[in-house]
Amino acid sequence: MRIGLLTGGGDCPGLNAVIRAVVLDTLRRDGECVGVLEGWRGLIDDATRRLGRDDVRSILHQGGTILRTSRTNPFRSADAVERLLATWKKLELDALVAIGGEDTLGVAARLFREFDLPIVGVPKTIDNDLSGTDYTFGFDTAVSIATDAIDRLATTAESHNRVIVVEVMGREAGWIATHAGIAGGAAFIAIPEREVSVAEIGRAVRARAEAGQSYSIIVVAEGAAVAGLGRGRRSAADEFGHALLGGIGQQVADALEAETGFETRVTVLGHIQRGGSPTAYDRVLATRLGLHASELAHKGDFGRMAALSGAEITSVTLEEAVAEVKTVPSELSELAAIVSG
Ligand code: F6P
């Protein structure tokens, strides 16, 4: 079989581990792999490269993606879809493994549904906001990086009796904020799923001060809902309708300092959360998901996405995976609130 592979959307530690797994499994089955460059753009513009054994040596631990990525949406124009189909035909692909999040897999689901293209998906995003899978690879790495940052910020915050607001990524879901906030022992965690007020955050800071803790770390998701403050949109919508988020951390810091009188600083972690090597957990998860996707492709079980369910790797339909954004359940945020402060 000739299997195409592409990575779309924001990059994420573990992408190369998936590529390696699919290539190794395909070669083992006497198949061949074609790397499609820069997500769906590579199929529209016919930009590809061969992927042999040597191409996937020493990439397991590397962040980013050797195939590059983009946020190209072929359904933005009829012409792009036609060109994509023409490239597919020219390449004589028997299957495509699309590694991506909600947007990339949304395109995959539509191409499968409307054109019967033999596609399987692998769930990728640091945001962990994809339905149908318990976790996505990249999330553990992002949480580890954010937790390490919180640990570091805590020592300087404590030395100066300061409040430090840490803004983390995650789009419209508070997964990174919740997990890193719990792991880092944050005084307060603000997420998109539950609106909070600056007064509420201020109460947490004051309560700590009264208990003898003269510093606080406040974790704020980039999409956090804070009453009276804008959601920090920084750009026009991209081809999938998403605006770039960011800036809410500074707004919270300013309002909190005015509210409490505590000296407050802000740190925006930004793309640091997406760069560098994947954790061991993400390497293993990405490898397992890649092997499962490869098996689905070789078996001809298309229109599905490899997924993690408990400790098992299984699969769900692409439609199921992209049906809705997976947000933090109230049970988890309530649990986080119990141990915050
Ligand atoms: O979806 C992953 C993500 O890192 C989000 O957490 C963030 O909002 C967005 O991508 C940033 O996008 P860009 O790479 O375009 O700056």
Side-chain angles (χ1 to χ4, degrees), residues 41-296:
R41 185 186 293 158
L43 275 183
I44 297 167
D45 294 343
D46 190 9
T48 61
R49 60 176 271 200
R50 263 298 157 87
L51 283 177
R53 179 67 187 92
D54 286 344
D55 300 303
V56 296
R57 283 190 207 284
S58 309
I59 65 166
L60 174 65
H61 62 286
Q62 279 175 26
T65 161
I66 61 166
L67 296 178
R68 309 282 182 260
T69 186
S70 73
R71 297 190 194 279
T72 307
N73 182 357
F75 286 103
R76 293 281 287 180
S77 83
D79 174 60
V81 176
E82 268 170 36
R83 286 166 57 193
L84 181 152
L85 294 173
T87 307
W88 184 294
K89 206 166 160 196
K90 185 189 144 200
L91 293 173
E92 297 181 331
L93 295 180
D94 295 305
L96 177 78
V97 177
I99 311 163
E102 181 206 349
D103 299 333
T104 304
L105 298 182
V107 170
R110 206 164 152 193
L111 289 170
F112 174 71
R113 186 174 67 236
E114 293 181 17
F115 299 94
D116 208 20
L117 291 189
I119 303 181
V120 298
V122 178
K124 161 255 46 158
T125 168
I126 62 164
D127 303 337
N128 195 42
D129 60 354
L130 207 53
S131 292
T133 184
D134 288 352
Y135 290 100
T136 49
F137 69 85
F139 174 65
D140 184 65
T141 305
V143 169
S144 301
I145 293 167
T147 303
D148 179 61
I150 292 170
D151 289 348
R152 289 169 188 279
L153 291 168
T155 63
T156 172
E158 183 168 18
S159 304
H160 287 264
N161 302 322
R162 280 175 177 158
V163 174
I164 297 189
V165 174
V166 189
E167 181 183 300
V168 299
M169 282 185 166
R171 260 198 183 135
E172 305 292 342
W175 288 103
I176 297 176
T178 303
H179 279 237
I182 293 173
F188 197 93
I189 304 167
I191 58 175
E193 290 84 345
R194 186 178 86 86
E195 187 177 87
V196 295
S197 65
V198 174
E200 199 179 327
I201 306 175
R203 279 198 291 280
V205 169
R206 282 201 203 90
R208 273 176 63 85
E210 280 156 21
Q213 295 293 321
S214 57
Y215 76 101
S216 287
I217 299 292
I218 311 297
V219 177
V220 176
E222 63 180 358
V226 185
L229 303 184
R231 278 234 178 165
R233 283 188 171 71
R234 289 198 292 122
S235 73
D238 66 13
E239 292 190 14
F240 289 95
H242 303 295
L244 201 57
L245 299 178
I248 186 76
Q250 186 65 59
Q251 292 187 63
V252 168
D254 293 345
L256 197 60
E257 191 168 272
E259 164 88 16
T260 62
F262 285 102
E263 191 180 23
T264 305
R265 296 283 192 266
V266 62
T267 296
V268 180
L269 294 185
H271 295 83
I272 296 224
Q273 293 159 100
R274 265 180 23 200
S277 297
T279 58
Y281 176 87
D282 276 340
R283 294 179 204 191
V284 174
L285 177 59
T287 298
R288 292 178 74 200
L289 289 167
L291 289 174
H292 196 79
S294 179
E295 193 184 341
L296 290 173

